[in-house]
Amino acid sequence: AREKTPVAIAPTMASLSASRVFSRAHIGRPDRVAARRSVRVAALSQDELKQQAAWKAVDYVKSDMVVGLGTGSTAAFAVDRIGQLLKEGKLKNIIGVPTSIRTFEQAKSLGIPLATLDEQPAIDVAIDGADEVDPNLDVVKGRGGALLREKMVEMASKTFVCIVDDTKMVEGLGGSKLAMPVEIVQFCHKYTLGRLAALPEVAGCEAKLRMDGDKPYVTDNSNYIVDLYFQTPIKDGHAAAKAILELEGVVDHGLFMDMVDVCIIAASDGVKVQERKK
């Protein structure tokens, strides 16, 4: 079993500010106190929540580590933070393994030394976002199109730290009714799409080829993506993952089962750290 590093949850700037507002309010006017507190909390944007989670995740990064660099709007905050700490000399001798061309370009612009899995097959920690997180810390990833490289890098990591804001929490995978992506080869993609939609393990889903304007979206690996949409959560994520991957023409899917070690969740009332149960 992987050893987990306990993280002390520090109060966020938002929570501290809310406390100051409360303490200065007139004790005889609780309605005014509540109104001021709710206005202050509501001022936090989704990007601010994402940044809080990302910065907390970077606490897992130490000097001399090989770090998997995720893809997406939340992971970008973590990459920026690592670049900042390297520039300030607070982190040293870091090697980043990016999960997409987009992340490669971002990390390179920040001066982060980079490698691929060919040069660094063992990764100390990977930090990445997710599109959905269920109570077991199983996740859906890949709406940004980088699911294959993300899964390869995160499977090669000793610790996978997932960072999200609380809007990504669901009772069951597929529960957001947004896309669960499947990367497929271009060859006979309509045939593969039809077979995906017909799988009993994803019964009731709607399968759509992801488009980029009037052409199919193409991944960094020159593949297509079929997005599966569910009206109700997937009944058995493990069975669905296995059935999808067994289809010829499927490269990989966005179900990341039993992979996340730590999930850092940013909400208006603070940052929470959840670890996978052993």
Side-chain angles (χ1 to χ4, degrees):
R2 297 172 177 169
E3 293 185 0
K4 303 294 190 297
T5 304
V7 176
I9 302 176
T12 64
M13 290 300 296
S15 62
L16 289 173
S17 298
S19 298
R20 282 195 287 269
V21 169
F22 181 81
S23 64
R24 292 170 185 169
H26 195 282
I27 294 176
R29 296 295 302 274
D31 56 334
R32 184 174 296 176
V33 172
R36 288 183 181 179
R37 292 184 75 187
S38 64
V39 167
R40 180 63 189 91
V41 169
L44 279 175
S45 70
Q46 190 175 28
D47 277 349
E48 288 172 321
L49 294 176
K50 290 177 178 180
Q51 185 185 62
Q52 287 182 359
W55 282 37
K56 176 65 71 176
V58 175
D59 288 346
Y60 284 82
V61 178
K62 308 300 180 186
S63 294
D64 303 311
M65 277 189 171
V66 179
V67 183
L69 304 176
T71 296
S73 58
T74 309
F77 285 114
V79 177
D80 281 341
R81 179 63 170 165
I82 291 169
Q84 177 188 349
L85 294 177
L86 279 170
K87 186 176 180 179
E88 294 173 353
K90 295 177 181 177
L91 283 178
K92 297 179 181 180
N93 196 30
I94 294 294
I95 298 176
V97 180
T99 55
S100 66
I101 293 173
R102 188 186 346 160
T103 301
F104 169 85
E105 292 172 346
Q106 178 194 5
K108 185 178 180 181
S109 72
L110 294 168
I112 300 174
L114 299 173
T116 68
L117 286 173
D118 287 337
E119 294 94 30
Q120 296 289 341
I123 296 173
D124 294 297
V125 60
I127 300 174
D128 205 354
D131 301 307
E132 294 181 2
V133 182
D134 76 4
N136 297 319
L137 302 189
D138 292 325
V139 304
V140 167
K141 289 180 51 56
R143 289 179 192 155
L147 61 121
L148 176 60
R149 297 190 187 192
E150 288 173 335
K151 190 171 284 188
M152 290 176 69
V153 168
E154 285 143 23
M155 284 295 291
S157 302
K158 296 175 184 176
T159 302
F160 174 21
V161 181
C162 181
I163 48 177
V164 295
D165 64 81
D166 60 352
T167 65
K168 304 299 175 65
M169 306 306 292
V170 295
E171 287 302 314
L173 298 182
S176 69
K177 299 185 180 181
L178 299 176
M180 196 290 283
V182 180
E183 188 161 345
I184 67 170
V185 297
Q186 294 192 27
F187 176 72
C188 295
H189 64 275
K190 293 179 182 178
Y191 167 77
T192 304
L193 185 152
R195 294 188 72 200
L196 280 167
L199 284 174
E201 290 82 359
V202 295
C205 78
E206 182 180 10
K208 293 183 179 181
L209 183 68
R210 186 178 296 188
M211 302 298 290
D212 184 7
D214 59 353
K215 296 180 180 179
Y217 174 88
V218 178
T219 70
D220 288 348
N221 316 299
S222 300
N223 295 315
Y224 288 168
I225 286 181
V226 172
D227 287 319
L228 304 183
Y229 296 87
F230 299 86
Q231 291 304 308
T232 58
I234 300 169
K235 291 182 179 179
D236 186 336
H238 287 88
K242 183 176 184 292
I244 291 169
L245 202 55
E246 286 178 347
L247 289 181
E248 302 84 7
V250 168
V251 179
D252 217 321
H253 52 72
L255 293 169
F256 285 49
M257 311 299 292
D258 305 315
M259 289 181 58
V260 173
D261 297 293
V262 180
C263 189
I264 299 178
I265 307 157
S268 57
D269 59 348
V271 176
K272 302 174 184 177
V273 179
Q274 292 186 15
E275 295 186 351
R276 177 175 292 277
K277 295 178 182 178
K278 296 181 180 179

